[in-house]
Amino acid sequence: MKQLAIFASGSGSNAENIARLFHQGNRIRVGVVLCNRKECGVYQRMEALGVPVIYMPNSSWDSDPERVIETLRPYGIDMIVLAGFMRAVRPEIIDFVDGRVLNIHPSLLPAYGGKGMFGHHVHEAVIAAGEKRSGVTVHYVTEEIDGGDIIMQQELEVLPGDTAATLEERIHALEYDLYPRAIVKALGEMTSAAVPPQIPVPHPQAADSAPKPAAPASPSAAPVTPPPASPDEAWAKALHINNYSDREAERARARAEERRVPPPTGVAAGSPATPPPAGSLMHPAVAEALAEGKQIPKSYMWVSILMAVIFSTIPGIVAIVYSASVSSRLSCGDLAGAEKASRMVQGWIIASFVIGVLSATLWVPISILTGF
Ligand code: GAR
């Protein structure tokens, strides 16, 4: 049994696909998922599959790789799989699994790779450049961003009406097919186990377009051959998943669907980014962050109140000081000074109000965008 660790930062649809597929067999397991964000879709997706997800702050990824390694150690990890993980992996972690760290990138590397090229940015760049083809690459991770040896790559055509969003959707479908096969291939390279060079692709249309066995001309003309396995069954066989059956997979999917709890924000984890309705006050970056599975922190209300109180208190105190000055100046007959102090009181009251409101309301988008 080979154990995988998945590192994720976002919606986690690839992580879910990998775990769901391999857990139908008995050769590969996802032992643990590490995530560098507190609020993202991968927690819910993995909960439904019974896979632990551990939060690991960015400070550990950047400067405390030992903490990551010690977290992984009890799981006896053979390979690390990055699935939408938006952080550099320190060389110490790569060494811990003898270089067996895989990443999936949504382009035909080396094109559209490197710093700043991730997720939807890749698709936007591909569309802007008028490319006719794009695709998916699975590669080994090295210190160079998107620079390691390529394990598998698969192309698709960029269609004339494609937008970044439609392209991303089709790329995702391609990823769900390619990544598990690339993992099996890399595990095969690791153990030198024989892995079929060409594993059938379980494309949804394949079932319809797969060549049907020719009907024998007469009952005695040809031996009766058993009907071919479905594309998914053939694929599972190639992946050495022994107990796979379409019917059981369908049942497992239905059971997982029943158990799935909708996210509290009303955004389905991993659902494609839904643009805010026309006229909505929601900033597109916030809508996108929510659609990626980031959620409003549970601490939101209390932190907002605290922020409002803290930030409005200082100008509030200044306003009180000035109002004391108004009365003392009036009692001394200093009308001009009292008028000036009165203007200052008004100014500081307004400042206290504005800063209080801003610190309370801006907390929501800032916390969502930073994943705090
Ligand atoms: C995937 O499309 C993956 O290729 C991309 O992030 C997405 C994560 O989706 N990764 C990169 O861009 C890495 N440079 P998911 O969270 O739904 O699996």
Side-chain angles (χ1 to χ4, degrees):
M1 173 78 75
K2 298 286 178 210
Q3 290 287 342
L4 305 181
I6 296 183
F7 295 175
S9 302
S11 137
S13 69
N14 273 289
E16 179 184 6
N17 176 61
I18 290 164
R20 200 177 278 284
L21 177 75
F22 288 143
H23 288 209
Q24 289 166 2
N26 53 17
R27 297 177 68 101
I28 305 169
R29 273 276 173 286
V30 177
V32 66
V33 175
L34 300 194
C35 182
N36 66 321
R37 290 176 180 273
K38 277 189 181 160
E39 309 281 339
C40 66
V42 76
Y43 292 92
Q44 264 174 326
R45 288 176 183 273
M46 290 297 140
E47 194 184 347
L49 297 171
V51 177
V53 184
I54 299 173
Y55 167 68
M56 191 63 45
N58 285 337
S59 54
S60 300
W61 296 105
D62 294 345
S63 51
D64 191 6
E66 267 313 305
R67 184 170 164 200
V68 177
I69 291 169
E70 287 316 311
T71 308
L72 293 176
R73 204 181 292 285
Y75 295 92
I77 295 305
D78 298 292
M79 178 176 279
I80 294 171
V81 170
L82 310 191
F85 184 63
M86 306 303 174
R87 207 83 203 165
V89 180
R90 289 281 300 254
E92 294 89 337
I93 302 174
I94 301 179
D95 289 345
F96 173 63
V97 284
D98 297 327
R100 294 187 300 267
V101 184
L102 269 53
N103 180 42
I104 189 156
H105 186 81
S107 78
L108 296 172
L109 287 176
Y112 300 98
K115 204 166 161 47
M117 277 292 157
F118 59 88
H120 63 96
H121 297 292
V122 175
H123 310 302
E124 279 156 13
V126 166
I127 295 286
E131 297 287 357
K132 297 274 172 289
R133 307 202 69 76
S134 187
V136 175
T137 305
V138 178
H139 64 96
Y140 283 105
V141 171
T142 60
E143 279 180 72
E144 187 193 344
I145 300 177
D146 299 327
D149 286 351
I150 291 174
I151 300 164
M152 283 175 110
Q153 218 166 29
Q154 201 158 321
E155 280 192 23
L156 61 62
E157 197 184 335
V158 179
L159 302 173
D162 258 338
T163 61
T166 58
L167 182 61
E168 183 169 30
E169 202 178 318
R170 286 186 299 117
I171 289 273
H172 256 127
L174 207 60
E175 290 181 339
Y176 303 150
D177 164 44
L178 186 73
Y179 212 178
R181 291 193 289 133
I183 292 167
V184 172
K185 182 168 186 259
L187 285 170
E189 281 167 9
M190 166 187 159
T191 57
S192 310
V195 171
Q198 191 60 51
I199 299 169
V201 175
H203 192 271
Q205 274 102 52
D208 300 328
S209 56
K212 308 268 182 307
S218 74
S220 58
V224 178
T225 48
S230 75
D232 280 341
E233 280 169 343
W235 184 26
K237 201 169 163 212
L239 289 173
H240 308 294
I241 296 169
N242 299 328
N243 55 359
Y244 176 85
S245 85
D246 278 346
R247 198 178 296 172
E248 189 39 51
E250 193 47 53
R251 279 200 209 113
R253 263 194 291 277
R255 281 198 298 274
E257 270 315 310
E258 277 165 22
R259 282 203 301 269
R260 193 189 293 271
V261 184
T265 53
V267 178
S271 63
T274 328
S280 160
L281 290 178
M282 195 185 287
H283 190 281
V286 175
E288 194 178 308
L290 287 172
E292 277 172 14
K294 294 169 196 161
Q295 293 164 11
I296 295 175
K298 292 186 184 66
S299 56
Y300 155 61
M301 189 180 80
W302 295 114
V303 178
S304 292
I305 292 172
L306 197 69
M307 293 285 172
V309 170
I310 292 174
F311 287 107
S312 61
T313 299
I314 298 163
I317 289 172
V318 180
I320 291 167
V321 170
Y322 273 114
S323 71
S325 152
V326 174
S327 30
S328 62
R329 278 171 198 276
L330 273 179
S331 62
C332 298
D334 177 7
L335 279 182
E339 195 188 333
K340 197 173 162 206
S342 166
R343 274 199 302 275
M344 296 301 277
V345 173
Q346 288 167 27
W348 281 100
I349 288 176
I350 292 169
S352 162
F353 177 75
V354 170
I355 294 173
V357 168
L358 285 183
S359 57
T361 52
L362 284 183
W363 174 251
V364 184
I366 289 172
S367 59
I368 293 171
L369 291 174
T370 57
F372 179 77

